[in-house]
Amino acid sequence: MAFEGLTERLQNAMSKLRRKGKISETDVREAMREIRLALLEADVNFGVVKDFVKTVRERAIGSEVLESLTPAQQIVKIVDEELTKVMGEEATALNKSPHIPTIIMMVGLQGAGKTTTAGKLAYRLKENDQARPLFIAADVYRPAAIEQLQVVAQQVGAPVFELGTDVDPREIVRQGLAQAVENKNDYVIIDTAGRLQIDEKLMQELADIKELAQPSEILLTVDAMTGQNAVNVAESFNQQLDITGVVLTKLDGDTRGGAALSIRAVTGKPIKFTGQGEKLTDLDVFHPDRMADRILGM
Amino acid sequence: ANFRTVDEDFFDDLEETLIGADVGYEMAVKISDELRDEVKLRNAKSQQEVAQTIVEKLVNIYEAEGVDEDNTINFATDGPTVILFVGVNGVGKTTTVGKLAHQYKEEGKKVVLAAADTFRAGAIEQLKVWGERADVPVVAGKAQSDPAAVVYDAVQKAKRDHDDVLLVDTAGRLQNKVNLMNELEKIKRVITREIPDAPQEVLLVLDSTTGQNALIQAKQFKETTDVTGIVLTKLDGTAKGGIVLAIRSELDVPVKLVGLGEQIDDLQPFDANAFVYGLFKDLIQPEDTAEKTD
Ligand SMILES: Nc1nc2c(ncn2[C@@H]2O[C@H](COP(=O)(O)OP(=O)(O)OP(=O)(O)O)[C@@H](O)[C@H]2O)c(=O)[nH]1
Ligand SMILES: Nc1nc2c(ncn2[C@@H]2O[C@H](COP(=O)(O)OP(=O)(O)OP(=O)(O)O)[C@@H](O)[C@H]2O)c(=O)[nH]1
Ligand SMILES: [K+]
Ligand SMILES: [Mg+2]
Ligand SMILES: [Mg+2]
């Protein structure tokens, strides 16, 4: 089932109104209703939608829309511009540490795509920068998490530091970092276990790992199909870890991906990459304008 | 938002709470409108009366299409029962297979698992760990081999050894990937060719954090594999899984099981009352106590 895009929605709403001749503020209100609906159907958080629609309304009322012969297009343009603005400027690069190794920590809910993305990032760094990354297997909870990382790492052609599942993840990271220094790895990617943002014990574990590893990047990995709950997750991870960026996965599906807007709005942190499939090469830098169009169904 | 009186603000809050639970905009508006009338009609005033009215109404909406429908898992009267697990990536298929294997094993059934995710890195090893935990055998092939062949072997084994239940784990796939959906159809055909009444269940695993896309998932998977039930996972988190209301009323696919954690016992039968209460409980309890009373 495909939801109607914002353009058609507004055109339908406006064509009813246009017969009356001129567009009034009431008509603008009607248009705002359609925008609100389109965003909610795209899974943008309703709190975020409220603020966003307010911004758009102010611009629409104070602008050339009321005089325009093509008010629907005018409003779509404003929405698109505002959305792109909220979602941030063009692709933000990975942070790099002035000294090797640059440490990247993958965090997020269960099944979001952390391990897969860790592999994709390492692959990208190897291809583009001839990097020598080391993975640290810090997920001791999920069955066969280490084996999964090992298979991924083998595909990438990079080593994994692991101590099995009986050692505390903090200790694994400590020893893994020592090995990275010894082996002069220029990047370290820490694969952590998926966890709920309300799991205090496991969130503390992440905070401790952050403390001892001092990573340049803490990438919150979020499934693009996430609904209204995206704000709770992103806000809480950000509060507890001060994340540096976001990876939005599974965008090769047919979700509108409104979570992108929600996350960006509540954390202010850049979405750096998007996952576009299960293969190592399926990683893209994030394009705010494309994401805006996608959310709006254009 | 703890309410004292049931006024217009209350229904606005309810609408927002339901939207926040991923019920979807239209459904949320429909529900709040109907409730407005219902609460008036019953002259409900106390918090408890109103909560009760809301629960009843939501359960009604949930069940409207499928009254008298059985939410329990179907079993074959004779020979092995085959349950096929399907769904998009990372929702909890493999984990649910492990949990259910444990449950059936505890009930004294003879259980076998099929590792038909030959694609994802470490998927076979993951299922084998669950097989060990549940103490049931796992039929597996090589990584990257044909999953339909693994399923064929597993069905033969189940028939030969008179197993009671065969649980088939499949690779996660997005519903818009035509090739992968065809592969799933083929897996199902292999099962039915070997045991005409099987699979007795095709369970679509849905992550409760999923938004409106879950409805599209349900539609596509139902079309391809004739889904008989839903497993709603990760309900131990802060997401509510409200989209299953729409799935139930549009597609008439019932939720049969819920996942409540990563441990082997964290699987329960679906309870419509408890589920719908979860959708709006934050509205009638202060947020902090809401977390603790679960
Ligand atoms: N289609 C698609 N699938 C993806 C993408 N990224 C990850 N996946 C799949 O999503 C599933 C979960 O990915 P993982 O990398 O295991 O996720 P995780 O966050 O490490 O999971 P846990 O460690 O269990 O918390 C796997 O089936 C991956 O192949 C993507 O961008 N597109
Ligand atoms: N909190 C919580 N986590 C769960 C639940 N069910 C599964 N998980 C976790 O979610 C992640 C993904 O689970 P899997 O069983 O691997 O999911 P899958 O659908 O088999 O994934 P793919 O095979 O990669 O498509 C793992 O980290 C599980 O431990 C649940 O009910 N609650
Ligand atoms: K929940
Ligand atoms: Mg992982
Ligand atoms: Mg699996």
Side-chain angles (χ1 to χ4, degrees), chain B residues 115-212:
Chain B
D117 179 358
T118 58
F119 178 73
R120 211 213 58 221
I124 298 170
E125 290 80 356
Q126 185 187 3
L127 191 70
K128 282 183 175 168
V129 173
W130 278 110
E132 275 165 34
R133 286 182 181 179
D135 191 22
V136 304
V138 179
V139 176
K142 283 212 175 70
Q144 310 305 323
S145 67
D146 177 13
V150 175
V151 171
Y152 176 83
D153 290 347
V155 174
Q156 294 310 319
K157 188 243 174 258
K159 286 206 287 192
R160 190 176 59 237
D161 297 349
H162 304 287
D163 289 320
D164 298 312
V165 193
L166 166 62
L167 305 178
V168 181
D169 184 29
T170 64
R173 67 201 76 219
L174 298 178
Q175 68 279 4
N176 60 337
K177 306 265 166 100
V178 177
N179 290 344
L180 297 180
M181 293 305 271
N182 288 343
E183 179 194 88
L184 201 56
E185 206 171 8
K186 182 177 159 200
I187 288 174
K188 191 182 171 217
R189 253 197 331 266
V190 166
I191 298 171
T192 309
R193 202 173 58 213
E194 300 307 310
I195 307 177
D197 288 338
Q200 280 71 18
E201 294 277 356
V202 179
L203 297 182
L204 173 67
V205 183
L206 284 181
D207 183 330
S208 62
T209 57
T210 312
Q212 302 303 300

Side-chain angles (χ1 to χ4, degrees), chain A residues 197-224:
Chain A
Q197 81 280 9
I198 51 172
D199 186 329
E200 287 172 21
K201 195 166 147 266
L202 287 186
M203 290 306 287
Q204 184 58 48
E205 177 190 290
L206 286 183
D208 293 345
I209 292 175
K210 176 189 174 180
E211 182 65 27
L212 73 93
Q214 301 287 324
S216 305
E217 287 279 7
I218 301 178
L219 295 178
L220 176 64
T221 309
V222 184
D223 186 324

Side-chain angles (χ1 to χ4, degrees), chain A residues 87-92 246 248 251 260 264 270-274 284-289 291-292:
Chain A
M87 226 113 54
E89 304 311 315
E90 267 308 311
T92 323
V246 175
L248 203 61
L251 265 176
R264 178 67 213 205
I271 298 170
K272 297 202 166 183
F273 295 98
T274 62
D284 266 5
V285 289
F286 178 70
H287 298 285
D289 48 342
M291 197 66 222

